[in-house]
Structure formats: C-alpha cells, structure tokens
C-alpha cells in the first residue's frame, strides 16, 4: 500500500509563483516586441531620401523606375534585381538590424535599416 503525501501551498507560495510567472512573461514579451517596433529601411539615391518603408510589411519597392528592386519580406530587406554590371547589391545578404546597409554604387543607391535591434558588429564607420 502506498501512502499518499499531501502537500499544500500556502498563500505566500502562490504569490511567489505568480510574481515569477509575471516577471518572466514581461521579459519575454519585451524582448519579442522590442526587436520588431519601428524597424524600417530608408532608401537614398545620390544622398537624397526617396522613401522609408516598414520591415513589418512584405512588399517590393522599385527604385529609379525599376533600375533596382528591393524586396521586404519576413522582417528583412534584400535587393533582388539591379541593372548595374557587377550585381554586388543583389549578392548582398538580407539586412534586418540597425545600421546594416545595402549599397549599389553604379546607381548611387543606399538602403539602410533603422531599428532597435542591434547589428552583430561592434561598430561601423562612415
């Protein structure tokens, strides 16, 4: 025969558990939503801003009448087409973190991410 051992939580135990769950939930929600708020890409041509687009909205942006095409999808931006001869901008990895950029030198296009999410790099130079 097995004896059952009954354990009861007192009110302090319940309060402590609730506080721990609320703090953990708040930290989780803060980290999830902080990385997503305000993330956008700024597009400049010859140093002049031509547009700012949210990384939250999936879309394709035609730059210079279709000379370059930027795809924004799943919180990342990448150049998917360009008429320049070297295609360095098209071969660049997708960007999503603050300060990351894609540059097309022949067309003088600069796409830069502005967000709260930090880049993997320690610093950048201009």
């Amino acid at each position: 025969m097995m004896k059952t051992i009954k354990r009861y939580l007192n009110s302090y135990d319940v309060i402590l558990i609730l506080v721990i769950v609320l703090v953990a939930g708040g930290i989780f929600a803060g980290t999830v939503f902080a990385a997503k708020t305000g993330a956008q890409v700024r597009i400049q041509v010859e140093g002049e801003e031509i547009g700012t687009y949210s990384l939250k909205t999936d879309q394709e942006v035609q730059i210079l009448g279709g000379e370059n095409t930027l795809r924004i999808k799943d919180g990342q931006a990448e150049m998917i087409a360009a008429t320049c001869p070297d295609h360095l901008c098209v071969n660049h990895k997708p960007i999503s973190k603050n300060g990351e950029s894609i540059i097309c030198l022949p067309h003088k296009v600069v796409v830069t991410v502005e967000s709260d999410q930090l880049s993997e790099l320690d610093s950048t130079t201009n």
Side-chain angles (χ1 to χ4, degrees):
M1 245 192 222
M2 289 188 89
K3 292 183 178 180
T4 58
I5 300 174
K6 293 184 180 180
R7 290 188 182 178
Y8 295 103
L9 297 176
N10 63 33
S11 60
Y12 293 115
D13 294 333
V14 172
I15 292 171
L16 178 63
I17 291 169
L18 286 174
V19 168
I20 290 171
V21 168
L22 288 174
V23 169
I27 291 171
F28 176 74
T31 56
V32 167
F33 294 115
K36 301 285 184 191
T37 58
Q40 59 187 11
V41 289
R42 182 176 309 275
I43 301 173
Q44 296 178 329
V45 176
E46 294 187 22
E48 297 205 20
E49 182 178 331
I50 63 161
T52 302
Y53 302 89
S54 173
L55 285 176
K56 294 179 187 178
T57 306
D58 292 352
Q59 59 186 310
E60 287 188 7
V61 179
Q62 299 295 319
I63 304 168
L64 295 171
E67 295 286 323
N68 293 71
T69 303
L70 181 76
R71 176 186 294 152
I72 300 171
K73 185 175 180 181
D74 299 328
Q76 296 184 329
E78 66 178 324
M79 198 73 70
I80 60 169
T83 60
C84 56
D86 58 9
H87 289 98
L88 291 176
C89 56
V90 176
N91 295 324
H92 195 283
K93 71 178 183 83
I95 58 174
S96 62
K97 297 183 176 100
N98 189 45
E100 291 182 328
S101 61
I102 298 173
I103 300 170
C104 180
L105 285 176
H107 295 148
K108 300 177 184 167
V109 174
V110 178
V111 180
T112 307
V113 174
E114 297 175 348
S115 81
D116 299 332
Q117 189 173 5
L118 298 177
S119 174
E120 296 172 2
L121 302 175
D122 290 336
S123 64
T124 59
T125 59
N126 291 329

